[in-house]
Amino acid sequence: MGLYSYPILMTADILMFNANEVPVGRDQIQHVEMARDIAGRFNHRFKEVFTLPEVKIDENVELLVGLDGRKMSKSYGNTIPLWENDKKTQKSVNKIITNMKEPGEPKQPDESPLFEIYKAFSTPSETAAFTQMLAEGLAWGEAKKLLAAKINAELAEPRERYNKLTANPSQIEDILQAGAAKARKEARELLDQVRDAVGIRPLK
């Protein structure tokens, strides 16, 4: 049931707002393709109502690996929680698997998931400098400290904002309700077109 209903729910979210482009990761492409198939079939069978969405992928973004080298996923327990404090971030980073190479021994980027995670938070020049440091024998422990510092610096402002919002649940609820009202208004117009196209019309 989940295998069937989850893609359908995603399709509804996409088509209900006539999205032209849908930003997704590579592992979600098939869901947009399914949305296109369903929209195309409806348009052919009933009436041109739905926009056929296109996949939008940032070619510079790769699938982020987890602490153990697999895809980062809560179900694998290999994530780095974004909203924790600096110390807990360091604790998570310390769990990243590495090999047994000693400080001073040259290391390659593909020898630990640490490099790919660092790359996700860094500019190309920073990544190049980090690669050079590894090649020159940077200790894994020091590399993990650099990664944790990079993550904490990147997330300092978002974390502050997150903490302010979670401290005021009523503000979050107001934002959600306002967004829901806006979404319903737009979705209602398209849903009326869908119902009309399939023959579900008010009796006159």
Side-chain angles (χ1 to χ4, degrees):
M1 180 59 193
L3 188 64
Y4 171 79
S5 63
Y6 180 64
I8 296 299
L9 288 172
M10 291 189 70
T11 295
D13 287 340
I14 294 169
L15 298 184
M16 188 54 66
F17 302 97
N18 265 338
N20 294 301
E21 294 182 327
V22 185
V24 294
R26 297 184 190 281
D27 58 337
Q28 296 292 308
I29 292 176
Q30 66 270 25
H31 292 302
V32 181
E33 291 175 344
M34 180 176 284
R36 285 179 58 87
D37 289 343
I38 292 173
R41 178 61 179 164
F42 183 96
N43 290 346
H44 176 75
R45 175 68 177 79
F46 297 104
K47 181 181 177 182
E48 291 283 337
V49 174
F50 295 116
T51 299
L52 300 187
E54 299 285 346
V55 168
K56 184 176 179 62
I57 296 177
D58 186 340
E59 296 298 334
N60 295 319
V61 175
E62 299 293 337
L63 186 68
L64 191 61
V65 297
L67 307 179
D68 56 3
R70 295 182 294 175
K71 173 186 175 181
M72 187 174 283
S73 171
K74 285 185 177 179
S75 61
Y76 294 154
N78 64 355
T79 62
I80 299 176
L82 297 180
W83 307 121
E84 298 289 0
N85 58 39
D86 291 5
K87 288 185 178 180
K88 289 187 177 181
T89 298
Q90 182 69 69
K91 187 175 181 180
S92 294
V93 169
N94 287 343
K95 297 177 182 177
I96 297 175
I97 61 171
T98 57
N99 55 29
M100 300 299 292
K101 285 189 175 180
E102 298 290 337
E105 288 188 72
K107 301 170 182 67
Q108 298 299 320
D110 60 359
E111 293 178 353
S112 170
L114 188 150
F115 177 80
E116 290 299 323
I117 299 173
Y118 187 93
K119 182 180 176 181
F121 287 88
S122 306
T123 63
S125 61
E126 290 172 334
T127 300
F130 189 66
T131 302
Q132 183 63 32
M133 293 167 67
L134 289 173
E136 293 173 354
L138 179 69
W140 287 125
E142 291 301 315
K144 290 178 179 180
K145 288 180 181 178
L146 290 174
L147 173 58
K150 173 64 68 177
I151 294 174
N152 287 328
E154 181 77 18
L155 297 177
E157 186 175 338
R159 281 173 176 170
E160 182 179 356
R161 175 65 173 154
Y162 172 82
N163 290 331
K164 286 181 179 179
L165 284 171
T166 53
N168 188 1
S170 61
Q171 182 184 1
I172 298 176
E173 185 63 25
D174 290 343
I175 293 171
L176 290 174
Q177 290 300 329
K182 182 179 179 181
R184 285 192 199 98
K185 182 178 184 300
E186 185 170 336
R188 183 75 255 175
E189 295 176 5
L190 185 61
L191 185 58
D192 287 344
Q193 295 180 46
V194 171
R195 292 169 65 89
D196 183 75
V198 300
I200 304 176
R201 307 182 183 96
L203 296 175
K204 297 180 180 179

